[in-house]
PDB file of all heavy atoms in Angstrom:
ATOM      1  N   SER F  32     -30.231 -27.835 123.854  1.00  0.00           N
ATOM      2  CA  SER F  32     -31.483 -27.289 124.343  1.00  0.00           C
ATOM      3  C   SER F  32     -31.515 -25.760 124.298  1.00  0.00           C
ATOM      4  O   SER F  32     -32.557 -25.159 124.335  1.00  0.00           O
ATOM      5  CB  SER F  32     -31.737 -27.784 125.770  1.00  0.00           C
ATOM      6  OG  SER F  32     -30.670 -27.445 126.585  1.00  0.00           O
ATOM      7  N   HIS F  33     -30.333 -25.153 124.205  1.00  0.00           N
ATOM      8  CA  HIS F  33     -30.293 -23.700 124.107  1.00  0.00           C
ATOM      9  C   HIS F  33     -29.810 -23.288 122.718  1.00  0.00           C
ATOM     10  O   HIS F  33     -29.099 -22.326 122.556  1.00  0.00           O
ATOM     11  CB  HIS F  33     -29.347 -23.092 125.148  1.00  0.00           C
ATOM     12  CG  HIS F  33     -29.841 -23.277 126.543  1.00  0.00           C
ATOM     13  ND1 HIS F  33     -30.830 -22.508 127.060  1.00  0.00           N
ATOM     14  CD2 HIS F  33     -29.485 -24.132 127.527  1.00  0.00           C
ATOM     15  CE1 HIS F  33     -31.078 -22.881 128.316  1.00  0.00           C
ATOM     16  NE2 HIS F  33     -30.268 -23.869 128.606  1.00  0.00           N
ATOM     17  N   ALA F  34     -30.162 -24.113 121.723  1.00  0.00           N
ATOM     18  CA  ALA F  34     -29.574 -23.925 120.400  1.00  0.00           C
ATOM     19  C   ALA F  34     -29.698 -22.480 119.919  1.00  0.00           C
ATOM     20  O   ALA F  34     -28.849 -21.990 119.202  1.00  0.00           O
ATOM     21  CB  ALA F  34     -30.233 -24.858 119.416  1.00  0.00           C
ATOM     22  N   HIS F  35     -30.720 -21.784 120.291  1.00  0.00           N
ATOM     23  CA  HIS F  35     -30.902 -20.419 119.764  1.00  0.00           C
ATOM     24  C   HIS F  35     -30.748 -19.339 120.798  1.00  0.00           C
ATOM     25  O   HIS F  35     -30.897 -18.172 120.494  1.00  0.00           O
ATOM     26  CB  HIS F  35     -32.267 -20.291 119.090  1.00  0.00           C
ATOM     27  CG  HIS F  35     -32.326 -21.083 117.829  1.00  0.00           C
ATOM     28  ND1 HIS F  35     -32.618 -22.419 117.811  1.00  0.00           N
ATOM     29  CD2 HIS F  35     -32.125 -20.727 116.554  1.00  0.00           C
ATOM     30  CE1 HIS F  35     -32.593 -22.836 116.563  1.00  0.00           C
ATOM     31  NE2 HIS F  35     -32.295 -21.831 115.783  1.00  0.00           N
ATOM     32  N   VAL F  36     -30.503 -19.686 122.038  1.00  0.00           N
ATOM     33  CA  VAL F  36     -30.286 -18.632 123.040  1.00  0.00           C
ATOM     34  C   VAL F  36     -29.151 -19.045 123.975  1.00  0.00           C
ATOM     35  O   VAL F  36     -29.150 -20.157 124.495  1.00  0.00           O
ATOM     36  CB  VAL F  36     -31.582 -18.275 123.812  1.00  0.00           C
ATOM     37  CG1 VAL F  36     -32.169 -19.455 124.552  1.00  0.00           C
ATOM     38  CG2 VAL F  36     -31.310 -17.134 124.800  1.00  0.00           C
ATOM     39  N   ALA F  37     -28.219 -18.153 124.159  1.00  0.00           N
ATOM     40  CA  ALA F  37     -27.106 -18.447 125.046  1.00  0.00           C
ATOM     41  C   ALA F  37     -27.569 -18.209 126.473  1.00  0.00           C
ATOM     42  O   ALA F  37     -28.152 -17.162 126.760  1.00  0.00           O
ATOM     43  CB  ALA F  37     -25.925 -17.545 124.725  1.00  0.00           C
ATOM     44  N   PRO F  38     -27.350 -19.171 127.375  1.00  0.00           N
ATOM     45  CA  PRO F  38     -27.828 -19.009 128.745  1.00  0.00           C
ATOM     46  C   PRO F  38     -26.977 -18.027 129.536  1.00  0.00           C
ATOM     47  O   PRO F  38     -27.383 -17.653 130.657  1.00  0.00           O
ATOM     48  CB  PRO F  38     -27.723 -20.420 129.310  1.00  0.00           C
ATOM     49  CG  PRO F  38     -26.722 -21.091 128.477  1.00  0.00           C
ATOM     50  CD  PRO F  38     -26.728 -20.464 127.122  1.00  0.00           C
ATOM     51  N   ALA F  39     -25.831 -17.660 129.067  1.00  0.00           N
ATOM     52  CA  ALA F  39     -24.967 -16.728 129.822  1.00  0.00           C
ATOM     53  C   ALA F  39     -24.188 -15.868 128.845  1.00  0.00           C
ATOM     54  O   ALA F  39     -24.022 -16.198 127.678  1.00  0.00           O
ATOM     55  CB  ALA F  39     -24.029 -17.547 130.695  1.00  0.00           C
ATOM     56  N   ARG F  40     -23.690 -14.735 129.343  1.00  0.00           N
ATOM     57  CA  ARG F  40     -22.918 -13.807 128.536  1.00  0.00           C
ATOM     58  C   ARG F  40     -21.504 -13.710 129.080  1.00  0.00           C
ATOM     59  O   ARG F  40     -21.321 -13.951 130.283  1.00  0.00           O
ATOM     60  CB  ARG F  40     -23.558 -12.417 128.582  1.00  0.00           C
ATOM     61  CG  ARG F  40     -24.859 -12.343 127.866  1.00  0.00           C
ATOM     62  CD  ARG F  40     -25.458 -10.978 128.145  1.00  0.00           C
ATOM     63  NE  ARG F  40     -26.789 -10.884 127.550  1.00  0.00           N
ATOM     64  CZ  ARG F  40     -27.605  -9.862 127.780  1.00  0.00           C
ATOM     65  NH1 ARG F  40     -27.249  -8.877 128.581  1.00  0.00           N
ATOM     66  NH2 ARG F  40     -28.803  -9.832 127.232  1.00  0.00           N
ATOM     67  N   PRO F  41     -20.566 -13.300 128.271  1.00  0.00           N
ATOM     68  CA  PRO F  41     -20.665 -12.803 126.908  1.00  0.00           C
ATOM     69  C   PRO F  41     -20.946 -13.943 125.913  1.00  0.00           C
ATOM     70  O   PRO F  41     -20.728 -15.111 126.188  1.00  0.00           O
ATOM     71  CB  PRO F  41     -19.259 -12.238 126.634  1.00  0.00           C
ATOM     72  CG  PRO F  41     -18.351 -13.058 127.467  1.00  0.00           C
ATOM     73  CD  PRO F  41     -19.134 -13.336 128.709  1.00  0.00           C
ATOM     74  N   VAL F  42     -21.417 -13.526 124.737  1.00  0.00           N
ATOM     75  CA  VAL F  42     -21.666 -14.489 123.642  1.00  0.00           C
ATOM     76  C   VAL F  42     -20.886 -13.978 122.436  1.00  0.00           C
ATOM     77  O   VAL F  42     -20.925 -12.770 122.121  1.00  0.00           O
ATOM     78  CB  VAL F  42     -23.153 -14.555 123.278  1.00  0.00           C
ATOM     79  CG1 VAL F  42     -23.390 -15.670 122.258  1.00  0.00           C
ATOM     80  CG2 VAL F  42     -24.021 -14.736 124.500  1.00  0.00           C
ATOM     81  N   PHE F  43     -20.230 -14.867 121.742  1.00  0.00           N
ATOM     82  CA  PHE F  43     -19.544 -14.530 120.495  1.00  0.00           C
ATOM     83  C   PHE F  43     -20.058 -15.460 119.401  1.00  0.00           C
ATOM     84  O   PHE F  43     -20.167 -16.657 119.610  1.00  0.00           O
ATOM     85  CB  PHE F  43     -18.028 -14.664 120.636  1.00  0.00           C
ATOM     86  CG  PHE F  43     -17.458 -13.692 121.659  1.00  0.00           C
ATOM     87  CD1 PHE F  43     -17.149 -14.118 122.939  1.00  0.00           C
ATOM     88  CD2 PHE F  43     -17.291 -12.363 121.328  1.00  0.00           C
ATOM     89  CE1 PHE F  43     -16.677 -13.216 123.885  1.00  0.00           C
ATOM     90  CE2 PHE F  43     -16.822 -11.453 122.270  1.00  0.00           C
ATOM     91  CZ  PHE F  43     -16.507 -11.881 123.551  1.00  0.00           C
ATOM     92  N   VAL F  44     -20.350 -14.887 118.259  1.00  0.00           N
ATOM     93  CA  VAL F  44     -20.848 -15.660 117.111  1.00  0.00           C
ATOM     94  C   VAL F  44     -20.012 -15.272 115.909  1.00  0.00           C
ATOM     95  O   VAL F  44     -19.785 -14.077 115.682  1.00  0.00           O
ATOM     96  CB  VAL F  44     -22.351 -15.339 116.836  1.00  0.00           C
ATOM     97  CG1 VAL F  44     -22.871 -16.194 115.696  1.00  0.00           C
ATOM     98  CG2 VAL F  44     -23.188 -15.528 118.082  1.00  0.00           C
ATOM     99  N   SER F  45     -19.537 -16.260 115.181  1.00  0.00           N
ATOM    100  CA  SER F  45     -18.706 -15.917 114.020  1.00  0.00           C
ATOM    101  C   SER F  45     -18.915 -16.906 112.884  1.00  0.00           C
ATOM    102  O   SER F  45     -19.474 -17.966 113.058  1.00  0.00           O
ATOM    103  CB  SER F  45     -17.239 -15.825 114.401  1.00  0.00           C
ATOM    104  OG  SER F  45     -16.821 -17.057 114.951  1.00  0.00           O
ATOM    105  N   THR F  46     -18.432 -16.508 111.722  1.00  0.00           N
ATOM    106  CA  THR F  46     -18.663 -17.296 110.488  1.00  0.00           C
ATOM    107  C   THR F  46     -17.671 -18.443 110.371  1.00  0.00           C
ATOM    108  O   THR F  46     -16.512 -18.322 110.748  1.00  0.00           O
ATOM    109  CB  THR F  46     -18.515 -16.373 109.263  1.00  0.00           C
ATOM    110  OG1 THR F  46     -17.291 -15.634 109.409  1.00  0.00           O
ATOM    111  CG2 THR F  46     -19.665 -15.409 109.161  1.00  0.00           C
ATOM    112  N   TRP F  47     -18.106 -19.551 109.810  1.00  0.00           N
ATOM    113  CA  TRP F  47     -17.301 -20.714 109.424  1.00  0.00           C
ATOM    114  C   TRP F  47     -16.696 -21.443 110.634  1.00  0.00           C
ATOM    115  O   TRP F  47     -16.691 -20.934 111.753  1.00  0.00           O
ATOM    116  CB  TRP F  47     -16.195 -20.325 108.453  1.00  0.00           C
ATOM    117  CG  TRP F  47     -16.708 -19.618 107.234  1.00  0.00           C
ATOM    118  CD1 TRP F  47     -16.584 -18.270 106.943  1.00  0.00           C
ATOM    119  CD2 TRP F  47     -17.435 -20.183 106.128  1.00  0.00           C
ATOM    120  NE1 TRP F  47     -17.191 -17.968 105.753  1.00  0.00           N
ATOM    121  CE2 TRP F  47     -17.713 -19.121 105.227  1.00  0.00           C
ATOM    122  CE3 TRP F  47     -17.859 -21.459 105.822  1.00  0.00           C
ATOM    123  CZ2 TRP F  47     -18.426 -19.340 104.046  1.00  0.00           C
ATOM    124  CZ3 TRP F  47     -18.550 -21.674 104.631  1.00  0.00           C
ATOM    125  CH2 TRP F  47     -18.820 -20.617 103.761  1.00  0.00           C
ATOM    126  N   GLY F  48     -16.136 -22.606 110.320  1.00  0.00           N
ATOM    127  CA  GLY F  48     -15.493 -23.427 111.374  1.00  0.00           C
ATOM    128  C   GLY F  48     -14.339 -22.706 112.015  1.00  0.00           C
ATOM    129  O   GLY F  48     -14.081 -22.871 113.230  1.00  0.00           O
ATOM    130  N   PHE F  49     -13.593 -21.912 111.234  1.00  0.00           N
ATOM    131  CA  PHE F  49     -12.448 -21.216 111.828  1.00  0.00           C
ATOM    132  C   PHE F  49     -12.860 -20.123 112.804  1.00  0.00           C
ATOM    133  O   PHE F  49     -12.037 -19.534 113.495  1.00  0.00           O
ATOM    134  CB  PHE F  49     -11.465 -20.694 110.774  1.00  0.00           C
ATOM    135  CG  PHE F  49     -12.056 -19.803 109.711  1.00  0.00           C
ATOM    136  CD1 PHE F  49     -12.538 -18.555 110.018  1.00  0.00           C
ATOM    137  CD2 PHE F  49     -12.089 -20.215 108.370  1.00  0.00           C
ATOM    138  CE1 PHE F  49     -13.071 -17.711 109.046  1.00  0.00           C
ATOM    139  CE2 PHE F  49     -12.626 -19.403 107.386  1.00  0.00           C
ATOM    140  CZ  PHE F  49     -13.121 -18.134 107.723  1.00  0.00           C
ATOM    141  N   GLY F  50     -14.189 -19.881 112.890  1.00  0.00           N
ATOM    142  CA  GLY F  50     -14.690 -18.948 113.898  1.00  0.00           C
ATOM    143  C   GLY F  50     -14.562 -19.487 115.307  1.00  0.00           C
ATOM    144  O   GLY F  50     -14.535 -18.707 116.279  1.00  0.00           O
ATOM    145  N   LYS F  51     -14.484 -20.812 115.445  1.00  0.00           N
ATOM    146  CA  LYS F  51     -14.435 -21.395 116.794  1.00  0.00           C
ATOM    147  C   LYS F  51     -13.188 -20.941 117.581  1.00  0.00           C
ATOM    148  O   LYS F  51     -13.327 -20.393 118.680  1.00  0.00           O
ATOM    149  CB  LYS F  51     -14.547 -22.917 116.698  1.00  0.00           C
ATOM    150  CG  LYS F  51     -14.545 -23.616 118.042  1.00  0.00           C
ATOM    151  CD  LYS F  51     -14.787 -25.115 117.852  1.00  0.00           C
ATOM    152  CE  LYS F  51     -14.774 -25.841 119.179  1.00  0.00           C
ATOM    153  NZ  LYS F  51     -13.433 -26.014 119.738  1.00  0.00           N
ATOM    154  N   PRO F  52     -11.978 -21.165 117.012  1.00  0.00           N
ATOM    155  CA  PRO F  52     -10.815 -20.638 117.762  1.00  0.00           C
ATOM    156  C   PRO F  52     -10.847 -19.123 117.900  1.00  0.00           C
ATOM    157  O   PRO F  52     -10.341 -18.580 118.888  1.00  0.00           O
ATOM    158  CB  PRO F  52      -9.600 -21.106 116.945  1.00  0.00           C
ATOM    159  CG  PRO F  52     -10.129 -21.569 115.631  1.00  0.00           C
ATOM    160  CD  PRO F  52     -11.581 -21.962 115.845  1.00  0.00           C
ATOM    161  N   ALA F  53     -11.433 -18.434 116.936  1.00  0.00           N
ATOM    162  CA  ALA F  53     -11.529 -16.964 117.041  1.00  0.00           C
ATOM    163  C   ALA F  53     -12.420 -16.596 118.205  1.00  0.00           C
ATOM    164  O   ALA F  53     -12.081 -15.720 119.035  1.00  0.00           O
ATOM    165  CB  ALA F  53     -12.058 -16.385 115.737  1.00  0.00           C
ATOM    166  N   ASN F  54     -13.586 -17.227 118.314  1.00  0.00           N
ATOM    167  CA  ASN F  54     -14.504 -16.952 119.446  1.00  0.00           C
ATOM    168  C   ASN F  54     -13.782 -17.212 120.770  1.00  0.00           C
ATOM    169  O   ASN F  54     -13.970 -16.484 121.733  1.00  0.00           O
ATOM    170  CB  ASN F  54     -15.733 -17.856 119.392  1.00  0.00           C
ATOM    171  CG  ASN F  54     -16.686 -17.497 118.272  1.00  0.00           C
ATOM    172  OD1 ASN F  54     -16.621 -16.407 117.716  1.00  0.00           O
ATOM    173  ND2 ASN F  54     -17.603 -18.407 117.971  1.00  0.00           N
ATOM    174  N   GLU F  55     -13.023 -18.306 120.775  1.00  0.00           N
ATOM    175  CA  GLU F  55     -12.335 -18.653 122.043  1.00  0.00           C
ATOM    176  C   GLU F  55     -11.258 -17.629 122.384  1.00  0.00           C
ATOM    177  O   GLU F  55     -11.059 -17.301 123.554  1.00  0.00           O
ATOM    178  CB  GLU F  55     -11.778 -20.082 121.949  1.00  0.00           C
ATOM    179  CG  GLU F  55     -12.929 -21.103 121.953  1.00  0.00           C
ATOM    180  CD  GLU F  55     -12.528 -22.508 121.512  1.00  0.00           C
ATOM    181  OE1 GLU F  55     -11.318 -22.745 121.284  1.00  0.00           O
ATOM    182  OE2 GLU F  55     -13.440 -23.364 121.410  1.00  0.00           O
ATOM    183  N   ALA F  56     -10.602 -17.069 121.366  1.00  0.00           N
ATOM    184  CA  ALA F  56      -9.647 -16.003 121.623  1.00  0.00           C
ATOM    185  C   ALA F  56     -10.362 -14.758 122.142  1.00  0.00           C
ATOM    186  O   ALA F  56      -9.890 -14.057 123.051  1.00  0.00           O
ATOM    187  CB  ALA F  56      -8.852 -15.667 120.341  1.00  0.00           C
ATOM    188  N   SER F  57     -11.540 -14.482 121.590  1.00  0.00           N
ATOM    189  CA  SER F  57     -12.353 -13.360 122.061  1.00  0.00           C
ATOM    190  C   SER F  57     -12.724 -13.575 123.540  1.00  0.00           C
ATOM    191  O   SER F  57     -12.637 -12.642 124.341  1.00  0.00           O
ATOM    192  CB  SER F  57     -13.654 -13.222 121.232  1.00  0.00           C
ATOM    193  OG  SER F  57     -13.326 -12.865 119.917  1.00  0.00           O
ATOM    194  N   MET F  58     -13.144 -14.787 123.846  1.00  0.00           N
ATOM    195  CA  MET F  58     -13.527 -15.110 125.207  1.00  0.00           C
ATOM    196  C   MET F  58     -12.357 -14.919 126.189  1.00  0.00           C
ATOM    197  O   MET F  58     -12.508 -14.336 127.254  1.00  0.00           O
ATOM    198  CB  MET F  58     -14.045 -16.557 125.251  1.00  0.00           C
ATOM    199  CG  MET F  58     -14.793 -16.951 126.470  1.00  0.00           C
ATOM    200  SD  MET F  58     -16.299 -15.999 126.682  1.00  0.00           S
ATOM    201  CE  MET F  58     -17.507 -17.033 125.843  1.00  0.00           C
ATOM    202  N   ARG F  59     -11.188 -15.408 125.756  1.00  0.00           N
ATOM    203  CA  ARG F  59      -9.993 -15.255 126.627  1.00  0.00           C
ATOM    204  C   ARG F  59      -9.704 -13.789 126.877  1.00  0.00           C
ATOM    205  O   ARG F  59      -9.427 -13.360 127.994  1.00  0.00           O
ATOM    206  CB  ARG F  59      -8.774 -15.926 125.969  1.00  0.00           C
ATOM    207  CG  ARG F  59      -8.736 -17.433 126.133  1.00  0.00           C
ATOM    208  CD  ARG F  59      -7.363 -17.990 125.782  1.00  0.00           C
ATOM    209  NE  ARG F  59      -6.957 -17.736 124.399  1.00  0.00           N
ATOM    210  CZ  ARG F  59      -7.308 -18.498 123.356  1.00  0.00           C
ATOM    211  NH1 ARG F  59      -8.075 -19.549 123.525  1.00  0.00           N
ATOM    212  NH2 ARG F  59      -6.893 -18.193 122.137  1.00  0.00           N
ATOM    213  N   GLN F  60      -9.735 -13.011 125.801  1.00  0.00           N
ATOM    214  CA  GLN F  60      -9.449 -11.583 125.924  1.00  0.00           C
ATOM    215  C   GLN F  60     -10.503 -10.883 126.804  1.00  0.00           C
ATOM    216  O   GLN F  60     -10.176 -10.087 127.669  1.00  0.00           O
ATOM    217  CB  GLN F  60      -9.398 -10.924 124.558  1.00  0.00           C
ATOM    218  CG  GLN F  60      -9.162  -9.427 124.566  1.00  0.00           C
ATOM    219  CD  GLN F  60      -7.842  -9.043 125.265  1.00  0.00           C
ATOM    220  OE1 GLN F  60      -6.794  -9.644 125.003  1.00  0.00           O
ATOM    221  NE2 GLN F  60      -7.905  -8.059 126.165  1.00  0.00           N
ATOM    222  N   TYR F  61     -11.751 -11.262 126.634  1.00  0.00           N
ATOM    223  CA  TYR F  61     -12.841 -10.641 127.418  1.00  0.00           C
ATOM    224  C   TYR F  61     -12.603 -10.911 128.927  1.00  0.00           C
ATOM    225  O   TYR F  61     -12.798 -10.035 129.747  1.00  0.00           O
ATOM    226  CB  TYR F  61     -14.171 -11.186 126.985  1.00  0.00           C
ATOM    227  CG  TYR F  61     -15.341 -10.541 127.694  1.00  0.00           C
ATOM    228  CD1 TYR F  61     -15.916  -9.368 127.226  1.00  0.00           C
ATOM    229  CD2 TYR F  61     -15.848 -11.089 128.876  1.00  0.00           C
ATOM    230  CE1 TYR F  61     -16.970  -8.768 127.884  1.00  0.00           C
ATOM    231  CE2 TYR F  61     -16.900 -10.481 129.550  1.00  0.00           C
ATOM    232  CZ  TYR F  61     -17.464  -9.326 129.048  1.00  0.00           C
ATOM    233  OH  TYR F  61     -18.491  -8.714 129.723  1.00  0.00           O
ATOM    234  N   LYS F  62     -12.186 -12.139 129.207  1.00  0.00           N
ATOM    235  CA  LYS F  62     -11.953 -12.491 130.626  1.00  0.00           C
ATOM    236  C   LYS F  62     -10.836 -11.645 131.216  1.00  0.00           C
ATOM    237  O   LYS F  62     -10.796 -11.400 132.430  1.00  0.00           O
ATOM    238  CB  LYS F  62     -11.622 -13.988 130.744  1.00  0.00           C
ATOM    239  CG  LYS F  62     -12.861 -14.831 130.708  1.00  0.00           C
ATOM    240  CD  LYS F  62     -12.519 -16.284 130.957  1.00  0.00           C
ATOM    241  CE  LYS F  62     -13.764 -17.160 130.689  1.00  0.00           C
ATOM    242  NZ  LYS F  62     -13.407 -18.538 130.326  1.00  0.00           N
ATOM    243  N   LYS F  63      -9.897 -11.227 130.383  1.00  0.00           N
ATOM    244  CA  LYS F  63      -8.751 -10.453 130.887  1.00  0.00           C
ATOM    245  C   LYS F  63      -9.173  -9.073 131.332  1.00  0.00           C
ATOM    246  O   LYS F  63      -8.805  -8.611 132.396  1.00  0.00           O
ATOM    247  CB  LYS F  63      -7.685 -10.290 129.797  1.00  0.00           C
ATOM    248  CG  LYS F  63      -6.764 -11.482 129.716  1.00  0.00           C
ATOM    249  CD  LYS F  63      -5.605 -11.168 128.773  1.00  0.00           C
ATOM    250  CE  LYS F  63      -5.023 -12.455 128.233  1.00  0.00           C
ATOM    251  NZ  LYS F  63      -4.385 -12.283 126.947  1.00  0.00           N
ATOM    252  N   ASN F  64      -9.952  -8.344 130.481  1.00  0.00           N
ATOM    253  CA  ASN F  64     -10.234  -6.957 130.863  1.00  0.00           C
ATOM    254  C   ASN F  64     -11.693  -6.511 130.672  1.00  0.00           C
ATOM    255  O   ASN F  64     -12.002  -5.346 130.861  1.00  0.00           O
ATOM    256  CB  ASN F  64      -9.287  -6.014 130.105  1.00  0.00           C
ATOM    257  CG  ASN F  64      -9.583  -5.970 128.624  1.00  0.00           C
ATOM    258  OD1 ASN F  64     -10.465  -6.679 128.134  1.00  0.00           O
ATOM    259  ND2 ASN F  64      -8.866  -5.149 127.872  1.00  0.00           N
ATOM    260  N   GLY F  65     -12.557  -7.438 130.283  1.00  0.00           N
ATOM    261  CA  GLY F  65     -13.983  -7.102 130.146  1.00  0.00           C
ATOM    262  C   GLY F  65     -14.297  -6.161 129.000  1.00  0.00           C
ATOM    263  O   GLY F  65     -15.412  -5.666 128.926  1.00  0.00           O
ATOM    264  N   SER F  66     -13.319  -5.910 128.132  1.00  0.00           N
ATOM    265  CA  SER F  66     -13.588  -5.010 126.989  1.00  0.00           C
ATOM    266  C   SER F  66     -14.087  -5.810 125.778  1.00  0.00           C
ATOM    267  O   SER F  66     -13.361  -6.638 125.226  1.00  0.00           O
ATOM    268  CB  SER F  66     -12.320  -4.251 126.601  1.00  0.00           C
ATOM    269  OG  SER F  66     -12.443  -3.747 125.286  1.00  0.00           O
ATOM    270  N   LEU F  67     -15.339  -5.557 125.387  1.00  0.00           N
ATOM    271  CA  LEU F  67     -15.907  -6.289 124.269  1.00  0.00           C
ATOM    272  C   LEU F  67     -15.181  -5.952 122.964  1.00  0.00           C
ATOM    273  O   LEU F  67     -14.965  -6.842 122.132  1.00  0.00           O
ATOM    274  CB  LEU F  67     -17.411  -5.947 124.142  1.00  0.00           C
ATOM    275  CG  LEU F  67     -18.158  -6.745 123.080  1.00  0.00           C
ATOM    276  CD1 LEU F  67     -18.239  -8.218 123.454  1.00  0.00           C
ATOM    277  CD2 LEU F  67     -19.561  -6.192 122.853  1.00  0.00           C
TER     278      LEU F  67
END
Side-chain angles (χ1 to χ4, degrees):
S32 57
H33 292 284
H35 291 83
V36 58
R40 291 173 184 170
V42 188
F43 297 100
V44 182
S45 58
T46 49
W47 305 106
F49 55 67
K51 181 175 179 285
N54 288 344
E55 289 165 5
S57 293
M58 195 63 92
R59 281 195 298 276
Q60 178 59 46
Y61 183 87
K62 280 185 188 155
K63 276 190 204 153
N64 68 358
S66 161
L67 185 66

